[in-house]
């Protein structure tokens, strides 16, 4: 019995199996590299999420459109700096307005308008706070 044709056929199959194994190893190496890149990207996304979440409390809340007057942003800034409720007189001082009745009443009207816009709340009569 001549074994040469059988051995030749086995050699061809062995060569094909080795080539396939080499190709699969190459694909596995490429997939490992892609997996490392993807895992690194996921880590960066997690870090970004943590950073953004940590900063979210520090970002100012969205403010609805304010009336066209330069005092309104300054009034809101005064409330951002305040540790408690403010009265119209306190806001006048923060805005560097003279403490005249007409200025205090004008400021009180602006504060009432901000209450109507749902930006401030009137905690007690004449005492205003930033809406949470």
């Amino acid at each position: 019995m001549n074994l040469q044709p059988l051995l030749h056929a086995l050699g061809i199959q062995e060569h094909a199996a080795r080539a396939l194994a080499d190709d699969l190893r190459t694909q596995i190496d490429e997939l490992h590299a892609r997996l490392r890149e993807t895992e690194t990207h996921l880590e960066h996304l997690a870090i970004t999420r943590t950073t953004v979440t940590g900063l979210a409390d520090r970002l100012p809340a969205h403010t609805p459109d304010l009336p066209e007057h330069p005092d309104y942003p300054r009034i809101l800034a005064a409330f951002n700096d305040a540790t408690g409720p403010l009265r119209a007189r306190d806001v006048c001082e923060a805005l560097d307005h003279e403490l005249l009745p007409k200025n205090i009443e004008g400021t009180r009207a602006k504060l009432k308008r901000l209450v109507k816009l749902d930006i401030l709340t009137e905690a007690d009569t004449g005492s205003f706070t930033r809406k949470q």
Side-chain angles (χ1 to χ4, degrees), residues 61-109:
H62 172 69
T63 306
D65 292 331
L66 295 174
E68 292 291 326
H69 192 283
D71 278 350
Y72 285 101
R74 295 175 60 214
I75 290 170
L76 293 182
F79 278 95
N80 288 340
D81 295 338
T83 57
L86 296 177
R87 302 184 71 73
R89 181 182 193 88
D90 303 326
V91 176
C92 274
E93 287 178 11
L95 298 178
D96 292 325
H97 291 321
E98 286 186 72
L99 295 179
L100 300 173
K102 67 177 188 172
N103 292 339
I104 294 171
E105 289 307 314
T107 301
R108 186 180 332 279

Side-chain angles (χ1 to χ4, degrees), residues 116-129:
K116 285 183 182 177
L117 291 172
D118 211 30
I119 297 172
L120 298 180
T121 58
E122 194 168 3
D124 294 320
T125 303
S127 183
F128 300 88
T129 59

